[in-house]
Amino acid sequence: MKLKRQLMAASLFMLALPWAGCQYVREAESALRAGQLQSLEATGQAINSLLAQQEWGLVTKASTDGAEPLFAPERPWIAILDGYLDEWQSMPARRLENGEFAADLRMFTRGDKLYLHVSVEDSERSYFDPMRGIANNGDHIVLRSGNGIDYRLAASAPGQLIARYQSGNRTLYEREIAGYWLETQQGYHLEAVVPLALLKGKLGLYAVNASAIASDNAYLSHYNFSDQQPPRLITTRVDLERTLALFQQPSLKLSVIDSQGWHRASVGELASYQYGPARTTTSHGALKALYRAILETPPAPPSNSSQLFGQEKTAPILAAINGQTAAGWYRQPHSSERSLVSAAIPIKKQVVSAQNGSGELKSDDVQYGVLLLEQSSESYLSLTDRAFSKLFLSSTIALLIGAAGLFGYVSWLSWRIRRLNRSTQSAVDHQGNFSSTFKPSRTSDEIGDLSRGFGELLNRVQQYTNYLQTLSRKLSHELRTPLAVVHSSLDNLSMSNGDKQEREMYQKRAKEGANRLSSLLTAMSEASRLEESIKHGDQEIEAIDLNLMFREVIAAYKDVYTQHNLMLSECEQPLVANIAPELLVQLTDKLVDNAASFAPEGSDIKIRLSRNSNKVELRIENTGPRLPEAMQHQLFDNMVSVREKEKSDGGSHLGLGLHIVKLIADFHGAAVTANNLEDGSGVAFTLVIPIDDNKHA
């Protein structure tokens, strides 16, 4: 894979930016939700403080006779008494079934009136006969009030119905009850309005299905009929709703529930809420769907264990009835997108009572209801929705800018690398000739360092190649002279007239030429043999006193290099180091020989030993030509020579001596350098050897 594609693939890590943004939005949404829950609970506590100041009649008892209470919520409209279901469609129905027929009951209150609608399924309908008594007379609905009076709602024909009740032996009409009877294909509809004062807080309702009279006795079918007291009629309290309305807020629904789970008051709606005036600031549908997908999915609303309309027995409500505050976050009923936060708070009232046997007073918290607060999450979701939209837009722009910048940078980087590759390839042609077209980069980055490294490498290869190209000429020159000496000596020896002294002279010259050839061959193989010896660890390390060793070595050098003055400056401190003596002497041989070959005859060669902390420094100085600036760092490379011409002393100089010095220095962990003297009069070679006094014997 090319570098551009690799870097573009690596740029995919930039996708961590929108991921981190989504995590931030998710955490922000969670924090806002927690804040909304805290605010909801604080509002609930404030409402509780107000509700606890008076009695609201919220303590009720569960039914023990199986007669379930009927619930009629307060509604703000008046129904037109025409028997039709148009106004009642939004009201849930309570289903009444009894085998032969069924009925749907809907009820609500408005002020002091109870409105009810009964849809009866009856295949055989019979109407009230005015010529007979009210008992067992046609199909009709019976309303039993709390004082035991049965109000029979019947009609002689479709239209206005009449409410009658029995008082002793008399049949009386109840003028305050009005209604309408509407015949349908399935049966009939009965719609009526009843004053709540007549019912006395209870309502027993049953339908009488009378077939055609076959004898003196009519066949009757009853629903919800009992000779016992009728069930309670649960209604919402308008005064309690007015109190709750003081705390009404947008998208906030407040409900008060009694001790049996019946709704007694409710204000507000869980409508969607838009923060601020900006319907135009909402995000696009696709973006909103993406935002909602990122957020946590709210759990389903708690299930209601009661099947009765108006009664709620969910887990939070039951917990609050038992005195524990329950808060949660749920999906709104009948909506898969919206969510709500809910808090069920116990309504407690402090009751003061006296202790038995003492005059001390004590106060107890008496629980008598539940305050349920529900608020749509759209209020804060609209905030995070807009924040997510801005974040998504800014992240997208940042990604595009980053991708464009990265693509441009990668293209520029690839162009520089390709240019470096072309320059490197064009520096050497197919014949191995070097050109001067390679120009190292001046930039300070890694590619610039690589370019300069290539330039230095090419220069060294060029110098090494030039040396190899001139090596044959050097070898030819070096070998031709001793061979000519050998040949001429042998020719003269064969033509000699037998003079012993003359023959010995020719033999000596031939031997000298052969020895010179041998030294040339030895110099060529010396470096490789030394490197192999070091690699296989053939050298023994000993603790040697360098002052003593160099004193003896320099004394021997004075006999060899008689044309120069060798001067040794010893160190006053002990210089005991763990070294390979033979190798270090060989290194000194090369350095002294190199100094003698360049120093003028009669000049001084200074050898100085010194110690600096845990290092020993050997410095050899000689007067003579300076080192070329371009070659100072390449002197110790293999087969590199800076000699312009060879001396006539018969020595061989193939550029291997200083390379051997470098091999020996590396073996000892030492550093060797070559520098021109500060006054420009010559050259100094410095060897720095580390020593460890703890290892000395």
Side-chain angles (χ1 to χ4, degrees):
M1 184 183 293
K2 292 187 176 181
L3 179 62
K4 184 182 293 185
R5 293 182 179 178
Q6 292 179 15
L7 291 178
M8 292 304 293
S11 67
L12 295 178
F13 287 104
M14 293 179 64
L15 295 177
L17 177 63
W19 175 85
C22 292
Q23 295 302 313
Y24 171 77
V25 170
R26 200 169 187 176
E27 291 297 327
E29 185 266 344
S30 179
L32 287 173
R33 187 198 317 141
Q36 188 182 22
L37 274 174
Q38 292 179 357
S39 175
L40 208 61
E41 292 183 19
T43 302
Q45 296 298 337
I47 298 175
N48 262 349
S49 299
L50 181 61
L51 295 180
Q53 295 178 7
Q54 65 183 94
E55 180 63 46
W56 300 100
L58 300 179
V59 179
T60 58
K61 295 181 180 180
S63 176
T64 58
D65 56 4
E68 297 291 350
L70 296 176
F71 178 69
E74 177 77 11
R75 289 293 183 263
W77 64 79
I78 300 176
I80 300 175
L81 301 179
D82 54 6
Y84 289 101
L85 274 171
D86 296 343
E87 301 101 333
W88 298 86
Q89 295 295 337
S90 61
M91 290 291 299
R94 183 165 178 176
R95 185 72 171 174
L96 311 176
E97 294 181 337
N98 188 34
E100 296 183 12
F101 74 99
D104 289 330
L105 172 64
R106 295 175 173 85
M107 295 188 302
F108 71 86
T109 62
R110 186 178 188 276
D112 58 351
K113 304 289 186 181
L114 172 67
Y115 291 84
L116 59 88
H117 187 287
V118 183
S119 301
V120 179
E121 298 176 5
D122 188 3
S123 60
E124 185 177 352
R125 296 172 293 277
S126 62
Y127 288 93
F128 179 79
D129 185 358
M131 302 302 295
R132 299 173 56 202
I134 62 174
N136 306 330
N137 190 351
D139 297 337
H140 60 276
I141 301 296
V142 178
L143 302 181
R144 176 169 290 179
S145 66
N147 57 8
I149 299 177
D150 288 344
Y151 297 97
R152 300 177 185 269
L153 310 183
S156 301
Q160 297 294 328
L161 60 81
I162 299 175
R164 302 174 178 86
Y165 66 95
Q166 194 77 28
S167 177
N169 295 326
R170 296 186 303 166
T171 299
L172 302 178
Y173 294 90
E174 181 54 65
R175 306 294 181 182
E176 295 188 52
I177 298 178
Y180 194 88
W181 186 291
L182 178 65
E183 186 175 327
T184 64
Q185 294 181 353
Q186 294 79 20
Y188 60 89
H189 290 175
L190 185 147
E191 189 173 11
V193 56
V194 182
L196 290 173
L198 294 178
L199 300 177
K200 304 301 182 182
K202 294 185 178 182
L203 176 62
L205 185 146
Y206 64 94
V208 177
N209 182 20
S211 62
I213 299 177
S215 62
D216 292 339
N217 297 323
Y219 175 80
L220 302 179
S221 295
H222 305 284
Y223 176 79
N224 250 7
F225 178 71
S226 174
D227 292 335
Q228 301 177 4
Q229 285 290 319
R232 289 186 304 113
L233 176 63
I234 307 296
T235 61
T236 55
R237 299 193 53 165
V238 179
D239 54 347
L240 184 54
E241 288 185 344
R242 284 196 294 265
T243 302
L244 293 179
L246 299 174
F247 299 90
Q248 191 171 359
Q249 301 175 15
S251 75
L252 175 63
K253 182 179 180 181
L254 302 174
S255 303
V256 173
I257 300 171
D258 66 15
S259 59
Q260 295 302 318
W262 293 100
H263 280 263
R264 305 306 301 275
S266 181
V267 296
E269 296 291 336
L270 289 174
S272 60
Y273 178 71
Q274 200 77 359
Y275 182 82
R279 278 192 178 273
T280 57
T281 59
T282 55
S283 59
H284 189 269
L287 188 59
K288 186 174 182 179
L290 175 61
Y291 164 66
R292 295 301 174 94
I294 291 172
L295 300 181
E296 293 183 52
T297 302
S303 59
N304 187 6
S305 60
S306 175
Q307 302 299 322
L308 300 178
F309 169 62
Q311 189 179 40
E312 189 168 356
K313 289 187 176 182
T314 61
I317 296 297
L318 294 177
I321 289 175
N322 293 325
Q324 299 177 352
T325 299
W329 173 56
Y330 312 106
R331 187 171 63 248
Q332 282 193 27
H334 314 296
S335 176
S336 59
E337 295 183 354
R338 296 175 181 172
S339 60
L340 60 86
V341 289
S342 171
I345 303 174
I347 301 176
K348 297 180 181 181
K349 186 175 182 180
Q350 211 171 52
V351 178
V352 179
S353 60
Q355 272 188 341
N356 294 330
S358 66
E360 296 181 1
L361 297 179
K362 68 174 184 178
S363 60
D364 296 323
D365 288 336
V366 178
Q367 159 116 18
Y368 64 98
V370 175
L371 174 63
L372 178 64
L373 300 94
E374 298 174 298
Q375 190 172 35
S376 173
S377 300
E378 295 297 314
S379 57
Y380 69 83
L381 283 179
S382 61
L383 291 174
T384 51
D385 187 7
R386 291 194 297 167
F388 174 78
S389 301
K390 294 181 180 179
L391 177 64
F392 183 84
L393 179 62
S394 58
S395 298
T396 303
I397 295 176
L399 283 175
L400 292 177
I401 294 176
L406 183 62
F407 182 79
Y409 174 73
V410 169
S411 301
W412 176 67
L413 197 63
S414 301
W415 174 78
R416 291 181 61 194
I417 295 176
R418 287 195 300 270
R419 185 180 66 173
L420 177 60
N421 182 45
R422 289 193 299 268
S423 299
T424 305
Q425 290 180 348
S426 61
V428 182
D429 58 18
H430 296 290
Q431 286 76 31
N433 298 321
F434 288 83
S435 64
S436 59
T437 58
F438 185 84
K439 295 181 179 180
S441 174
R442 296 181 180 180
T443 58
S444 58
D445 56 7
E446 287 78 1
I447 296 181
D449 295 339
L450 180 63
S451 175
R452 289 185 289 273
F454 277 155
E456 184 178 353
L457 177 62
L458 288 173
N459 289 333
R460 296 180 63 183
V461 171
Q462 183 177 9
Q463 294 172 4
Y464 181 69
T465 302
N466 293 337
Y467 175 76
L468 291 179
Q469 291 174 349
T470 60
L471 180 62
S472 60
R473 189 166 60 252
K474 292 180 180 180
L475 290 176
S476 175
H477 173 76
E478 292 291 337
L479 295 175
R480 183 179 294 112
T481 301
L483 283 175
V485 172
V486 172
H487 286 160
S488 61
S489 298
L490 292 177
D491 290 342
N492 292 330
L493 182 62
S494 62
M495 294 170 45
S496 173
N497 55 7
D499 187 358
K500 181 179 180 180
Q501 185 177 3
E502 185 178 6
R503 291 176 63 86
E504 289 178 353
M505 181 186 64
Y506 291 141
Q507 289 177 357
K508 182 178 180 181
R509 289 180 180 177
K511 186 175 182 180
E512 290 177 352
N515 289 336
R516 187 173 179 183
L517 288 174
S518 177
S519 64
L520 288 172
L521 296 176
T522 300
M524 294 175 63
S525 61
E526 184 178 7
S528 61
R529 286 190 289 104
L530 177 62
E531 190 171 1
E532 289 293 327
S533 175
I534 292 175
K535 183 183 298 184
H536 291 87
D538 296 338
Q539 306 298 326
E540 295 183 0
I541 303 298
E542 302 178 18
I544 299 297
D545 185 348
L546 298 182
N547 281 325
L548 178 60
M549 187 188 78
F550 278 96
R551 190 183 308 146
E552 296 175 354
V553 169
I554 298 305
Y557 288 162
K558 290 181 178 180
D559 296 335
V560 176
Y561 302 102
T562 56
Q563 296 87 354
H564 302 86
N565 299 321
L566 275 71
M567 304 171 61
L568 175 63
S569 298
E570 297 184 14
C571 181
E572 297 179 355
Q573 301 177 3
L575 295 180
V576 180
N578 294 318
I579 61 171
E582 295 181 0
L583 292 181
L584 192 59
V585 171
Q586 189 174 3
L587 178 147
T588 309
D589 290 346
K590 301 300 182 184
L591 292 179
V592 172
D593 180 71
N594 181 79
S597 62
F598 283 97
E601 291 185 4
S603 63
D604 297 336
I605 297 177
K606 300 177 181 179
I607 300 97
R608 185 177 64 191
L609 287 170
S610 61
R611 177 170 181 170
N612 182 12
S613 184
N614 59 343
K615 296 179 180 179
V616 174
E617 182 179 288
L618 170 64
R619 183 178 177 88
I620 300 177
E621 300 178 1
N622 67 276
T623 57
R626 294 165 51 85
L627 291 175
E629 294 293 336
M631 296 293 292
Q632 289 188 20
H633 303 291
Q634 304 175 22
L635 290 176
F636 301 98
D637 292 344
N638 191 13
M639 304 189 78
V640 174
S641 176
V642 297
R643 301 174 187 270
E644 296 180 358
K645 62 179 180 178
E646 305 298 337
K647 287 182 175 287
S648 59
D649 56 0
S652 58
H653 303 283
L654 301 179
L656 297 173
L658 295 182
H659 178 63
I660 293 174
V661 170
K662 184 67 167 59
L663 291 176
I664 297 174
D666 291 341
F667 173 77
H668 289 89
V672 59
T673 56
N675 302 97
N676 293 318
L677 296 176
E678 294 182 359
D679 58 2
S681 60
V683 177
F685 284 82
T686 305
L687 177 70
V688 179
I689 306 173
I691 61 174
D692 189 353
D693 295 331
N694 297 328
K695 295 183 180 179
H696 299 159

